[in-house]
Amino acid sequence: MAGVSPSTLRLWESQELIQPLRTETGQRLYDRALVDRLKQIAWLRSEKGLNPAAIRETLRDLPEVDDDPGEAEDDASDIRPGTRMRRLRREAGKTLETVAQATGVSISQLSTFERTSQGLSFTALHEVARHLGTTLASLSGQEEGRGGESLIREGKWASWPTTSSGVAVQVLAEGRNMMECNRFQLAPGASSEGAYQHEGEEFIHMLSGSLEIILDGDQFFELHAGDSFYFESRRPHSWRNISSGETVLIWINTPATF
């Protein structure tokens, strides 16, 4: 459909010209908007002779379908995280390019997430949410409800947006509470893909597997099943699953600033 080889698609992905959607097993998917973008890249490469850096710069100046002023308003009943993010961005009067410049997340990744609620790493999603004055918990719908009592049966958890790094976050307490209580399920090699920070304090209890968490960029801690860890959220922190299998843990943030 785009007139290029699979190896070229992989090359363009490594050059950050395109960011395909991903299934849970890592398979690449291309919707109509991404195929159109591939055609634009192919034309800029073959007809204009532009290098990757010049193509990226040119793509930034091309209009995004999602920013078309003639586009219909979002369906008010659509509560997907990507749709919530698009509403917040538009209410703030920000374009995809404005958000991309402020957060370092590419326009194509932002556009993909707004359409599909997929395609942003954990750290990128946190950074965009913070720039828009919200939290991951709010985007996921975790803060809906009156708070107070919250009974969630095993396996009936609501989930946060799927990231591109094999991170599944399940909500253990719904509503606007002082604590954000979540269950993290990390595939082998899954990570935060960078450090982030915010106000508050955090508590981790390991259920299975192993986790490396890095504070302030130079303090390394290895956590294993049964271990607990407490730290201040304002310290830059990143993490990754260092076991050969799945890692599962309970993660609590307070107050609700994450």
Side-chain angles (χ1 to χ4, degrees), residues 129-241:
R130 184 171 66 171
H131 176 71
L132 294 176
T134 188
T135 64
L136 269 68
S138 179
L139 286 176
S140 69
Q142 179 176 345
E143 295 183 353
E144 293 181 351
R146 63 182 180 85
E149 301 86 2
S150 177
L151 174 60
I152 300 178
R153 299 295 184 185
E154 181 180 3
K156 302 298 183 181
W157 315 292
S159 297
W160 281 15
T162 302
T163 71
S164 58
S165 54
V167 180
V169 181
Q170 291 113 18
V171 177
L172 299 182
E174 297 176 336
R176 290 184 174 273
N177 304 312
M178 285 298 294
M179 295 189 297
E180 290 172 352
C181 307
N182 298 297
R183 178 181 186 268
F184 276 57
Q185 193 171 340
L186 309 177
S191 74
S192 61
E193 299 186 34
Y196 56 97
Q197 61 190 114
H198 49 97
E199 293 301 316
E201 300 176 355
E202 311 197 22
F203 172 79
I204 296 171
H205 179 70
M206 299 288 295
L207 299 179
S208 64
S210 300
L211 184 79
E212 179 184 65
I213 185 162
I214 306 172
L215 300 183
D216 303 322
D218 59 3
Q219 297 187 40
F220 295 76
F221 302 87
E222 284 192 12
L223 309 182
H224 306 284
D227 291 345
S228 297
F229 191 61
Y230 196 96
F231 63 96
E232 294 182 347
S233 308
R234 61 180 175 79
R235 302 174 66 182
H237 47 285
S238 60
W239 43 265
R240 66 186 178 96
N241 177 8

Side-chain angles (χ1 to χ4, degrees), residues 53 123 190:
T123 300

Side-chain angles (χ1 to χ4, degrees), residues 109-130:
Q109 287 178 307
L110 291 171
S111 179
T112 296
F113 185 82
E114 288 187 356
R115 294 195 312 274
T116 67
S117 298
Q118 298 182 35
L120 287 185
S121 71
F122 194 87
T123 300
L125 186 54
H126 179 270
E127 188 64 26
V128 173
R130 184 171 66 171

Side-chain angles (χ1 to χ4, degrees), residues 84-95 98-99 131-133:
R84 293 176 191 265
M85 180 178 289
R86 181 166 55 208
R87 287 193 192 118
L88 285 172
R89 176 176 62 78
R90 287 175 170 172
E91 289 170 1
K94 298 178 182 291
T95 65
T98 301
V99 177
H131 176 71
L132 294 176

Side-chain angles (χ1 to χ4, degrees), residues 31-48:
D31 62 10
R32 179 179 296 178
L34 288 174
V35 171
D36 288 343
R37 181 52 56 99
L38 287 172
K39 292 177 179 178
Q40 290 174 327
I41 296 170
W43 184 82
L44 291 170
R45 184 73 183 89
S46 61
E47 299 298 325
K48 295 293 185 179

